[in-house]
Amino acid sequence: MAGADLRGFEYGLEPIRRQRQWQFDAALAGLGKLQREAARWDAERDRLHGECVAQAARAAQVWTDRADPTAQARLLGYLAALQQRHADAEREIAALATRVDLARRECAAQQQRLEVLDQHRADTLKDYAVEQHRKAGAEADQEWVAQASHRAFGTEAA
């Protein structure tokens, strides 16, 4: 393509290529949002796990220090609620993992659709450049023939 004048090149499918680029960008943004949400849930799950461990140790310590069934029952109820929140976080993480996987697949599909058009554009541009080279060569040939016939006509007239 070097040396070819590409200023006149127009890709007829450019609006579709731009639309596919936007769709890919939107799919990528959606994937990023899901991944950030999954990271937040991971952090929340880890925090809940740490709190469960700490509260379980506290409940054991309270029971050994002073056998108070009422306080122990409240602590165990709190621990059960923490365990439930931890289990809910695990379920949410599993659901998000599925959604992230689907979003990754969608991104890959959008990227592939975009790459097909990008390759088509590159091929079309290459064909355009070859045609421009061919036209430039034909013009150069015509010019040479015209000059040669002019020189030949000039030498015959003299």
Side-chain angles (χ1 to χ4, degrees):
M1 282 193 292
D5 185 8
L6 302 177
R7 289 179 291 182
F9 177 73
E10 288 185 28
Y11 184 54
L13 298 176
E14 186 60 27
I16 295 170
R17 196 197 71 72
R18 263 191 253 125
Q19 182 185 37
R20 286 189 182 175
Q21 180 68 52
W22 295 333
Q23 290 170 343
F24 174 64
D25 292 344
L28 206 55
L31 173 61
K33 182 180 176 184
L34 285 172
Q35 287 175 328
R36 286 188 300 277
E37 189 176 346
R40 280 193 301 272
W41 275 103
D42 279 339
E44 176 66 8
R45 178 197 55 202
D46 293 345
R47 186 193 68 75
L48 287 169
H49 177 72
E51 191 173 345
C52 282
V53 169
Q55 291 300 324
R58 183 171 173 231
Q61 186 63 40
V62 165
W63 188 255
T64 57
D65 288 348
R66 174 176 51 118
D68 182 1
T70 306
Q72 189 68 11
R74 276 184 287 172
L75 272 174
L76 290 176
Y78 181 66
L79 272 174
L82 278 177
Q83 286 291 347
Q84 183 59 49
R85 288 174 45 204
H86 185 267
D88 292 344
E90 288 286 348
R91 279 191 292 283
E92 187 63 32
I93 289 168
L96 277 170
T98 301
R99 291 174 56 199
V100 164
D101 186 50
L102 288 173
R104 278 191 184 122
R105 289 181 192 177
E106 177 63 21
C107 279
Q110 292 292 345
Q111 183 177 17
Q112 185 178 21
R113 291 176 69 209
L114 179 61
E115 286 173 355
V116 165
L117 270 183
D118 285 343
Q119 184 61 49
H120 182 261
R121 184 185 188 283
D123 292 344
T124 304
L125 184 60
K126 182 180 175 186
D127 292 344
Y128 181 81
V130 166
E131 181 63 19
Q132 291 303 101
H133 279 299
R134 188 198 62 74
K135 284 181 181 178
E139 287 176 13
D141 287 347
Q142 286 176 352
E143 188 176 316
W144 184 84
V145 168
Q147 286 178 357
S149 72
H150 180 54
R151 281 192 302 264
F153 180 72
T155 57
E156 287 177 15

